[in-house]
Amino acid sequence: MALRKMRIMGEDDCLREVCREVKEVTPKIVQLVDDMLDTMYEENGVGLAAPQVGILKRIVVIDVGEGPLVMINPKILETSGSQTGSEGCLSVPGKNGTVTRPMYVKAEFYDEEMNKCIVEGEELLARAICHELDHLDGKLYVDFIEGKLRDNELDGYGEEEEE
Ligand code: NI
């Protein structure tokens, strides 16, 4: 198990960069994905994007409690509906804020064998896909919050707000 250093908003410019596509899954990329999963689970996160550990490549890992989802060069194909709820980020520790996201997302991505795959998600998975893909374009959820950034005991996101 290898943990990577978490990059923090305000300290690391890499969180604001546009990441590059992965052309080939080298052993280094496989190691990066393994380390990203270890780091996400260690930090009790629901998702993690490569720039959060300082690597400007289009790779995200997500686990909303259904097992790990590794997405290389992901792209959103379709969205519908909307959900408004609380969101946080491992790169913005101790904070959360209200963000409106699509209720449903369909996305394509490549797996570690570079097979093209499709994922459809609703609720938390839809939110996680949107949040993590934003990281690949240098966007953070704090750019979209409704109201103020709040202090939180919990890192990561997933707590739905009472309507
Ligand atoms: Ni995040």
Side-chain angles (χ1 to χ4, degrees), residues 84-89 92-99 127 141-142 145-156 159-162:
T84 299
S86 185
E87 205 165 301
C89 178
V92 190
K95 303 282 182 188
N96 72 86
T98 301
V99 184
R127 179 177 292 282
Y141 82 96
V142 298
I145 53 170
E146 296 153 32
K148 285 193 179 130
L149 201 57
R150 296 180 293 262
D151 289 323
N152 189 7
E153 304 298 293
L154 297 165
D155 285 342
E159 294 301 310
E160 283 301 310
E161 216 171 51
E162 299 296 324

Side-chain angles (χ1 to χ4, degrees), residues 52 89 131 135:
Q52 293 184 271
C89 178
H131 177 114
H135 275 297

Side-chain angles (χ1 to χ4, degrees), residues 4-16 39 43 48-54 89-95 135 140 142 149 155:
R4 302 271 179 133
K5 181 176 176 267
M6 188 67 59
R7 305 308 167 107
I8 303 298
M9 183 180 73
E11 296 175 9
D12 282 285
D13 294 341
C14 62
L15 292 169
R16 292 304 194 174
T39 304
E43 304 267 354
L48 185 72
Q52 293 184 271
V53 293
C89 178
L90 296 173
S91 293
V92 190
K95 303 282 182 188
H135 275 297
L140 299 171
V142 298
L149 201 57
D155 285 342

Side-chain angles (χ1 to χ4, degrees), residues 11 13 22-24 28 52 54 62 83 85-86 91 97 100-102 112-113 115 120 124-125 127 139-140 155-156 160:
E11 296 175 9
D13 294 341
V22 174
K23 296 266 177 352
E24 189 194 350
K28 236 176 129 176
Q52 293 184 271
I62 291 172
Q83 55 176 322
S86 185
S91 293
T100 297
R101 299 284 193 184
E112 287 178 271
E113 281 79 46
N115 300 306
E120 291 179 282
L124 180 56
L125 180 55
R127 179 177 292 282
K139 293 185 255 176
L140 299 171
D155 285 342
E160 283 301 310

